C-alpha cells in the first residue's frame, strides 16, 4: 500500500511545487517507486519544474472523467528511474476534482507506487482540501516570516480536523519544511529563526532549505533542484528526504558563516 504525502502551505510562493518535485525525485533516487500528482487545477506548474510540459497529453481531470486511462496520463520522468508525474489540467475549473474521482485515482496509484506525493495548491480552496483529505502524512512548507508561518498554522488546523484520518480518529503525521532560509538575515533579526518557527508551529522539522539562486536556475531549466548536488539547496533537500525515510541526519546551512579576518577588514560579506 502506498504512503500518500501531501506537500502543502497556507501561503503561495513559498516553494511548495519546487519542494514536491525535489522530494518526489529524492524518494525515487533512494529506490522507491514514486508518483507526484499536481492538484493545482487551472494553473499547473509541476510539469514545468519537472521539465515534461511538452509531453502532457492527458491529465488528472481526464482520468477522473474517464476520458483517458491512468496509464495514458502518467508521464515517466526522463532523468530518474521509478519516478512518474500526473499533471493537472490547465483548462478546467477547480471544481473538476471530485471526492470520488480523486479517491479512485489514488486507490489505483496505490497498487503500483510506494509513495504518492500530492502537490497541493496554496490555501484552503477545493483542490487544496482534496489533497489534504486523503493524506497519510503532510509536509507543511513555510518561509521564516510571520505571515507565512501564521497561514501554515491554519493548514495544520485543517489537517487535524478535516482529513480522512481525522474522521477515523487517527492523526496525519506532520513534518515542517522551512524554505528560503538565510542565517545572516536571522542574525540581524530580519527573519524568524528555525527555533522561532518550531516554537510557533510545534511540528517536527524535516528540512531547512537555504535561500539559493540554484532553486530558480533549476526551475528555469525544468530540473528538480535536488539533482544539483553542488548546491546547498540540492544537498538540503537530499537531507530532508533521508529524514522523511527515518534516518537521523544532522542539519546543515542553518548557521551564519563567520567572516574571515580579511573579509571583515575589507567589509566583505
Amino acid at each position: 500500500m502506498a504512503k500518500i504525502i501531501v506537500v502543502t502551505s497556507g501561503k503561495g510562493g513559498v516553494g511548495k511545487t519546487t519542494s514536491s518535485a525535489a522530494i518526489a525525485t529524492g524518494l525515487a533516487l533512494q529506490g522507491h517507486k514514486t508518483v507526484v500528482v499536481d492538484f493545482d487545477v487551472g494553473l499547473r506548474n509541476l510539469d514545468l519544474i519537472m521539465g515534461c510540459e511538452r509531453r502532457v497529453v492527458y491529465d488528472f481531470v481526464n482520468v477522473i472523467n474517464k476520458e483517458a486511462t491512468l496509464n495514458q496520463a502518467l508521464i515517466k520522468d526522463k532523468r530518474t528511474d521509478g519516478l512518474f508525474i500526473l499533471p493537472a489540467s490547465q483548462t478546467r475549473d477547480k471544481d473538476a476534482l471530485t471526492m470520488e474521482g480523486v479517491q479512485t485515482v489514488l486507490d489505483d496509484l496505490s497498487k503500483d507506487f510506494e509513495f504518492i506525493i500530492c502537490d497541493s495548491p496554496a490555501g484552503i480552496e477545493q483542490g487544496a482540501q482534496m489533497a489534504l483529505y486523503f493524506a497519510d502524512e503532510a509536509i507543511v512548507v513555510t518561509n521564516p516570516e510571520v505571515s507565512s508561518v501564521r497561514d501554515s498554522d491554519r493548514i495544520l488546523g485543517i489537517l487535524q480536523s478535516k482529513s480522512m484520518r481525522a474522521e477515523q480518529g487517527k492523526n496525519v503525521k506532520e513534518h515542517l519544511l522551512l524554505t528560503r532560509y538565510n542565517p545572516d538575515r536571522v542574525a540581524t533579526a530580519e527573519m524568524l529563526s528555525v527555533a522561532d518557527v518550531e516554537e510557533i508551529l510545534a511540528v517536527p522539522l524535516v528540512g531547512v532549505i537555504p535561500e539559493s539562486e540554484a532553486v530558480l536556475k533549476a526551475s528555469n531549466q525544468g530540473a528538480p533542484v535536488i539533482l544539483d548536488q553542488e548546491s546547498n539547496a540540492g544537498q538540503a533537500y537530499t537531507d530532508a528526504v533521508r529524514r522523511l525515510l527515518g534516518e537521523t541526519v544532522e542539519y546543515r546551512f542553518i548557521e551564519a558563516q563567520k567572516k574571515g579576518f580579511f573579509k571583515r577588514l575589507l567589509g566583505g560579506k
Side-chain angles (χ1 to χ4, degrees), residues 163-174:
S163 63
M164 184 193 284
R165 290 181 76 83
E167 290 173 1
Q168 296 168 345
K170 303 174 188 172
N171 293 324
V172 175
K173 189 176 181 182
E174 298 160 348

Side-chain angles (χ1 to χ4, degrees), residues 49-112:
I49 286 177
M50 299 294 290
C52 64
E53 69 278 6
R54 289 186 296 277
R55 292 195 284 148
V56 176
V57 178
Y58 295 111
D59 57 54
F60 194 4
V61 175
N62 290 138
V63 178
I64 286 174
N65 292 341
K66 297 186 166 43
E67 296 156 354
T69 65
L70 192 52
N71 195 52
Q72 286 176 296
L74 283 171
I75 299 169
K76 189 177 188 304
D77 189 76
K78 55 193 172 190
R79 298 182 192 87
T80 308
D81 286 341
L83 179 60
F84 291 78
I85 300 101
L86 181 58
S89 170
Q90 215 166 8
T91 56
R92 308 291 181 102
D93 191 75
K94 306 276 184 197
D95 297 334
L97 297 180
T98 64
M99 196 70 83
E100 300 77 17
V102 171
Q103 179 149 29
T104 300
V105 172
L106 292 176
D107 286 348
D108 287 345
L109 288 171
S110 292
K111 295 168 189 170
D112 288 322

